[in-house]
Amino acid sequence: MPETVSTKLQRIAEQAVYKDGWVFRSLGRQMDVEFLREAHKRVRKSASPGVDGVTAEEYAENLEANLEDLHARMRSGLYKAPPVKRGWVPKDGKKRRPIGKPAFEDKIAQRAVVMLMEPIYEEVFYDFSYGFIRGRNPHQALKYLREQCRKLNINWIVDADVEDYFGNIDRGILREFIKRRIEDGSILRLIGKWLNAGVMEDEVLRYPERGTPQGGVISPLLSNIYLHYVLDEWYVKEVRPRLKGESFLVRFGDDFVIGCELEEDARKLEEVLPKRFERYKLTIHPEKTALVRFGKPREDDDDSGNGTFDFLGFTHYWAKSRRGYWVIKRKTAKKRLRRAMRRIYYWCSSNRHEKLKDQYKMLTLKLRGYYQYYGIRANYKMLEVFYEHVLQAWRYWLGRRTRNGYISCERFERLLRLHPLPLPRIVHNV
């Protein structure tokens, strides 16, 4: 990072730390061409182009002139945010999830604003918030959840689900939340332009009245700011002091759980949580939200009264260790496993005519990526299930391109000796 950019960000962070409650009114002045150049370095170059069709390679052909022009438009207020190109990806069977494709230049502008805002809000966000924050990841959240359950003698879990969170954020309320720390007119105008840029789908331009830009670089930060004030700050300042027993909150993006020592506290939270979210135009899904008994069983107990809950793709449950102690274990959630197996099956089907070396290389990357996330202690058996499914899918679709439509076990074993797929392994000692 250039020294001037690093110095600017360090100064912002220091002001955010030492001047608690400080409202920033001149952030936009920190953004020059060098700042945009650093933002360009941080933008992912392999993503699909947006509505203007400009790729990262094409933009880089005349990079300096493009960045100077972008800076002039952003500084003068003439910058116009292009609409986001929308696509769809399958989710849980017949459902589909929207995915946004912003224009490449728009990503640079959003990244520059995120770089200015991050040092401020990294000091604002609580330690139990792990999503979309530098230096924090899902495995840290899983570790925090397990440790809090153990240390605080947690017996009940409020497992909540926010219905279509990113699509239902109220923009007026979001703007008021941001103004608690940032009142820079240029920054607020840019955020407003991105929120109201519209969505292009099948050559039709729509302007949703709520939500953050899907796929936008700034969207994760805005969503974090919204839930920080709706949930995190409310829990710390109003809820936790009123509870009779111990409790904790852990959040990753819009996915969160609350643990309570006492059933009375957990039922109160289950009751007031929907009202709190409704006040800020959000909905707690009634069917996907549950109160789960999750206390440590006694030594002679069979754990028949405990339930399970899912968080960050893992099902959490009590079980005995090899030494006979009760511990919290995690295994891949059924929905996540089915989704991953379905995607691998379709990938093998769609790419069965590609070169064998290319298929092997891609399947190796997919398996390693899967182990990198789901390879946590006590989840080895579920990794084996996925590995065996990959072998079966690959063998089946390779067989479909032969004359008899079948590959024998002996022939497939010889293939695996030449192209051995990575075996399941535990990556994280969470």
Side-chain angles (χ1 to χ4, degrees), residues 164-182:
D164 189 18
Y165 171 63
F166 293 94
N168 283 318
I169 291 177
D170 187 278
R171 295 170 181 173
I173 298 176
L174 173 61
R175 186 181 179 88
E176 294 302 317
F177 285 157
I178 295 174
K179 289 171 69 175
R180 294 187 183 184
R181 295 307 302 266
I182 299 173

Side-chain angles (χ1 to χ4, degrees), residues 64-93:
E64 291 304 314
N66 287 333
L67 292 180
E68 289 177 4
D69 178 61
L70 174 60
H71 175 254
R73 283 180 283 132
M74 293 178 69
R75 186 173 183 178
S76 63
L78 296 178
Y79 178 78
K80 184 178 180 180
V84 176
K85 185 179 179 181
R86 172 173 287 179
W88 297 87
V89 294
K91 175 186 177 182
D92 299 334

Side-chain angles (χ1 to χ4, degrees), residues 305-355:
N306 267 338
T308 64
F309 66 94
D310 292 347
F311 182 63
L312 296 181
F314 292 93
T315 298
H316 297 68
Y317 63 100
W318 281 98
K320 283 193 174 182
S321 66
R322 292 182 178 179
R323 297 183 178 182
Y325 300 113
W326 284 105
V327 295
I328 297 175
K329 293 187 177 182
R330 280 70 55 93
K331 62 181 180 180
T332 309
K334 291 182 179 179
K335 283 186 177 181
R336 293 292 187 93
L337 180 61
R338 286 197 300 264
R339 185 192 306 172
M341 292 168 69
R342 185 166 54 247
R343 287 178 177 175
I344 281 289
Y345 186 84
Y346 289 142
W347 186 91
C348 291
S349 170
S350 303
N351 295 271
R352 64 184 181 274
H353 296 300
E354 299 295 329
K355 293 181 180 179

Side-chain angles (χ1 to χ4, degrees), residues 18 62 96 118 130 133 182 194 212 250 265 361 392 399:
Y18 296 114
N62 197 14
R96 298 189 305 166
E118 273 183 341
Y130 290 90
I133 300 175
I182 299 173
W194 289 319
T212 57
V250 59
D265 292 338
K361 182 178 179 180
Q392 293 174 10

